[in-house]
Structures are given as C-alpha cells and as structure tokens.
Amino acid sequence: MTKWYMVRRWITSQFQHLSGKHVAVAVFAYAAVSWALLKAAGEQELTTPIVDFVYYLLVTASTVGYGDMSPQTDAGKWVVALFVIPCGLGIFAIGVGRLAGIALQFWRKGLTGKRSVDVSDHILILGWNESRTLHLIDMLLHEEKNKRPIVLCVRAEIENPLPKDIDFVRTTSFTDETAMARAGVQNASCIIIDNPEDDITFAAALFCASKNPDAHILAYFQEEVLSNLLKTHCPKAECIPSVSVEMMAKSAVDPGSSELHHELLNTRKGMTQYAVHYPADAKYTTVNALFLRMKEKHDATLIGIRRDSHVQLNPPLGAEVKPNDLLFYIADERVSDFSWEH
C-alpha cells in the first residue's frame, strides 16, 4: 500500500465525517482561496464583479463548463488546473452528497413516523388494524378528496402504508404528549380512534378530549360498557359500537340485511347514507315538503332528522323541519348544492 494511497484514504475518511458547519467553512475557504489565487494571477474578468466569480466557480466546480468564461493568463490556467477544478470537484460532491443525505433522512423520518406533521383541520386516525384501517383510509380519501388531510398515528412498528396519500406518525402511547403533538392532535377537526383493545381506545379518547375539546371524536368499542363510560366523561364523543352480532341476527331473520347495510356505508358503490345541516337561514318546513323536494331535484331520499342530540328515523310526513337540523339522506353521491327553496 503506497503512501499516496494511504493519504487519499485518510483525506476521504476525513471529508466523510465533516459536519455541516465544517462543510460550510470548507466551501467558504475554497471560494476565498480561489478568488485570491485568480486575483493574484491577473484574472480580472473571473474575479470582478463578484457575481461573475461566483458563477464561474459554480460552473467549474460542478463540471458543467459552459466555456463562456475561462482563464486568460498562464498563471490563471495553472491555478484553475491545479486548485480550482480538483478541490472544487471534491467540495461540490461533498455538498451535493450532504444535501442528498439530508433530503433522504427527512423522507425516511416521514416514512417511519418520526417527523412532525404540519397540518391543521385534519382527520387524525389513532390505531392500526391492517386491512380494516386501510379500508377506512380509502373511504376517507374518497370522501375528503381535496378537503381535509389525513394523518395516521399508530403504535405498531410499521412504516407509512400510503406515503403518497397520508401523513404518518409513530408513537409508543396515544397519551404521549410529545408524539401526539407531532400528530397535530390540538389542531385536528376530527379524531377517529380504532384499536383492537378497548382500554387503549378509552384512554386515547380521554386524552384527545382534554387536548382538543372542540374536535369531533369518534371511538370504536368492542364492548358497550366502556362506550357508556366514555359518554359520561365526554358527552360530545361519538361512540361507535360493534354491530357484528346484531348484523348476523338481523340477516338471519331478514336475509340480505347485511348487504343492504354494507352498501349504505360504501361510498364507492351504490346508494350511500350522507348527512347535511338544514341551513340556519332557511324557512321552517315539513318532512313531506322537504322529502318531495329532495327526491325531485336531487334524487335523494330523506330518512332521518337529528335535533338536540336526538335522532328520529323515518319521521312522520307532518313533522316540522327546523333550521340547523341535521338531515340524514340516501343518495348515489354526496349532494353539495341542495336547493332548499321552493
């Protein structure tokens, strides 16, 4: 092993371990020495004005070499050949490599959930149930296209399953203030909590309610006991119970019920159930008048009304519809421009 080879290996190893600060100092020193040597060699056109010098140095160090500027004196040519080009190639390569490394590290942090998300008014999903969660995200992406961003926060040791579509945060606990802050829990407009363990769902719901009392919190429970307990502590939380047993019983008595409910919940196929608020400035009306108007103008079927946290399904035709009532209807697609006037 020759001494020159050992020297090269030592230089290479030293450059690889340079910090960002050291790289910046090296670039500044390279530019200063290059300018001084070219100035001493009489290369006025390469050193004055300073913008021409910076342009020439970048073009030369990056090996682009447009040829519109070049040394004119013999001394200048020696300076460029022995210092500007060799040192510039090394420093340029180190700079580009360091920037690429920073970009890759930033991307990897996002993929592994170690980076804070910069969103607000988003949908935050807490929990991972593999295909079930992916199906949930797929439906939300369809419903919220170009609207609210989606952030998935999990405890499982996975990477972002949909890096092009959603933001991703990993945590060891859904009550970890630092990790939940990275997920933007304080700024979320809707928080969906769906875990295999009900006790984790319960603790996460209490934590989220304390950090963001204005968020629409949805919590899925296997057992009704914790669901009722959460409602006593967080009246605004919407608890989603498991209906698998009820669905089997219903389908046994009324065949096809499971298919009907599946279609009503599927936003990509057939008729789906939606909700819309009756405008605050709209006139009082009746279910009969509104039912006919929605059906005739939008091919939508009114099926229920929610008022003061009470839901009334299949309301009487003579029932009154008041401003701010939440109306439930069935349609092929969500209606974004209801015509409320006669």
Side-chain angles (χ1 to χ4, degrees):
M1 184 179 296
T2 64
K3 291 183 178 181
W4 172 238
Y5 179 74
M6 294 178 63
V7 170
R8 283 193 302 169
R9 284 193 59 182
W10 181 83
I11 294 174
T12 302
S13 66
Q14 293 304 308
F15 272 117
Q16 288 176 343
H17 292 88
L18 284 177
S19 66
K21 181 180 179 180
H22 291 155
V23 171
V25 171
V27 170
F28 180 79
Y30 164 70
V33 173
S34 296
W35 184 88
L37 290 175
L38 290 172
K39 189 73 172 180
E43 295 293 343
Q44 297 297 326
E45 293 185 359
L46 298 183
T47 56
T48 308
I50 195 66
V51 66
D52 286 348
F53 167 72
V54 173
Y55 165 76
Y56 171 73
L57 206 64
L58 289 175
V59 170
T60 303
S62 62
T63 70
V64 174
Y66 289 119
D68 54 342
M69 297 179 68
S70 59
Q72 302 300 314
T73 66
D74 290 340
K77 293 176 182 178
W78 281 111
V79 169
V80 171
L82 298 178
F83 181 80
V84 175
I85 292 178
C87 294
L89 289 176
I91 291 178
F92 184 80
I94 292 172
V96 171
R98 188 58 57 88
L99 289 176
I102 293 173
L104 181 61
Q105 185 180 27
F106 183 80
W107 176 78
R108 282 294 302 170
K109 280 188 175 182
L111 191 65
T112 56
K114 297 179 180 179
R115 193 176 73 217
S116 298
V117 297
D118 185 18
V119 293
S120 60
D121 192 31
H122 57 289
I123 298 176
L124 176 59
I125 302 174
L126 305 181
W128 175 247
N129 288 285
E130 299 181 348
S131 59
R132 170 191 172 99
T133 305
L134 290 175
H135 184 54
L136 168 65
I137 294 173
D138 179 64
M139 290 192 293
L140 289 173
L141 288 173
H142 177 72
E143 281 286 310
E144 296 289 333
K145 187 176 181 180
N146 299 324
K147 296 178 183 177
R148 291 182 292 182
I150 298 173
V151 177
L152 173 63
C153 182
V154 305
R155 298 189 308 139
E157 294 185 2
I158 62 171
E159 294 184 348
N160 190 341
L162 300 167
K164 294 182 179 179
D165 300 315
I166 64 173
D167 288 306
F168 180 70
V169 173
R170 274 200 64 229
T171 180
T172 56
S173 171
F174 293 132
T175 56
D176 183 333
E177 294 206 19
T178 302
M180 296 303 290
R182 288 196 291 112
V185 65
Q186 296 93 336
N187 302 318
S189 61
C190 177
I191 302 175
I192 302 174
I193 309 170
D194 183 14
N195 290 274
E197 304 90 356
D198 280 358
D199 56 340
I200 293 178
T201 298
F202 181 77
L206 290 178
F207 177 85
C208 292
S210 67
K211 295 298 179 181
N212 189 348
D214 296 326
H216 180 202
I217 298 177
L218 303 172
Y220 176 85
F221 288 100
Q222 300 285 346
E223 301 294 336
E224 191 174 356
V225 176
L226 286 180
S227 174
N228 294 334
L229 183 60
L230 179 62
K231 290 293 291 184
T232 61
H233 292 282
C234 307
K236 293 183 179 180
E238 188 171 347
C239 298
I240 313 298
S242 174
V243 295
S244 54
V245 174
E246 291 84 352
M247 188 55 60
M248 284 191 291
K250 187 63 178 173
S251 295
V253 178
D254 299 305
S257 294
S258 62
E259 297 178 12
L260 171 64
H261 284 81
H262 178 73
E263 183 166 324
L264 287 176
L265 297 174
N266 193 335
T267 58
R268 293 185 176 274
K269 177 184 176 183
M271 292 292 168
T272 305
Q273 180 261 308
Y274 300 100
V276 63
H277 277 97
Y278 191 55
D281 58 349
K283 298 178 180 179
Y284 282 61
T285 186
T286 62
V287 169
N288 181 57
L290 191 58
F291 182 94
L292 293 175
R293 195 182 320 146
M294 292 174 68
K295 189 65 178 176
E296 291 173 354
K297 293 184 176 295
H298 307 285
D299 196 22
T301 303
L302 178 65
I303 60 172
I305 301 174
R306 179 182 181 183
R307 183 185 303 149
D308 299 328
S309 301
H310 175 68
V311 177
Q312 183 180 16
L313 293 177
N314 192 26
L317 292 177
E320 191 175 42
V321 179
K322 300 179 179 179
N324 294 317
D325 281 350
L326 184 63
L327 310 177
F328 298 99
Y329 66 95
I330 300 173
D332 185 45
E333 292 287 344
R334 183 183 300 277
V335 181
S336 58
D337 55 347
F338 268 114
S339 176
W340 301 111
E341 299 299 329
H342 292 285

